[in-house]
Each structure stands twice: as C-alpha cells, then as structure tokens.
Amino acid sequence: MYLFEAKYYDFDSEKEIARKIEFDGDNFFQTEKECYIYAMSKAYDMKQENECFDSLEFMTVWSL
C-alpha cells in the first residue's frame, strides 16, 4: 500500500487543505515512478473548482 498526501489552497477560505491518497500499487505498477505519477493524477482529479493544487507528498509504503 502506498500513502500520499495532496495539498491544495482554497481561494475562498484562504486555507490549506490536505487529502490522503491511498492505493495498492504492488499489483499494478513496476516502479515507484509509476506509483508517483498515478498519485499525481489522482491528486489533480481530486482538486475542487475553487482550489489550486499545491503539492504531493509521499508519506509511506507498507505491505498487508
């Protein structure tokens, strides 16, 4: 399992928002780069209309 944290800036409230992105990449991806690109894509998809995407941080990887 991979855990990332996506951060956004909300223009209306002028606050930073953090959302977790969690997925099992062991079965789908060959490299860490592919996992990071997937997480980046998910982060952009989660962006709301009044927000600006700020950053994506890799948090951890673990096995179940």
Side-chain angles (χ1 to χ4, degrees), residues 5-16:
E5 184 176 75
K7 294 185 181 175
Y8 307 87
Y9 180 77
D10 186 313
F11 291 117
D12 295 336
S13 66
E14 297 183 354
K15 293 184 180 178
E16 184 179 81

Side-chain angles (χ1 to χ4, degrees), residues 4-63:
F4 290 82
E5 184 176 75
K7 294 185 181 175
Y8 307 87
Y9 180 77
D10 186 313
F11 291 117
D12 295 336
S13 66
E14 297 183 354
K15 293 184 180 178
E16 184 179 81
I17 299 167
R19 296 187 183 107
K20 294 190 185 313
I21 300 171
E22 188 175 319
F23 60 91
D24 181 14
D26 293 338
N27 299 329
F28 303 107
F29 306 110
Q30 300 296 323
T31 65
E32 286 185 24
K33 180 180 178 179
E34 289 175 348
C35 290
Y36 192 88
I37 291 170
Y38 176 77
M40 181 67 78
S41 176
K42 295 295 280 182
Y44 272 104
D45 291 344
M46 293 168 53
K47 184 181 82 65
Q48 301 296 313
E49 189 172 312
N50 61 331
E51 296 173 348
C52 176
F53 176 69
D54 183 37
S55 65
L56 179 68
E57 182 178 353
F58 173 72
M59 304 301 285
T60 189
V61 60
W62 72 93
S63 298

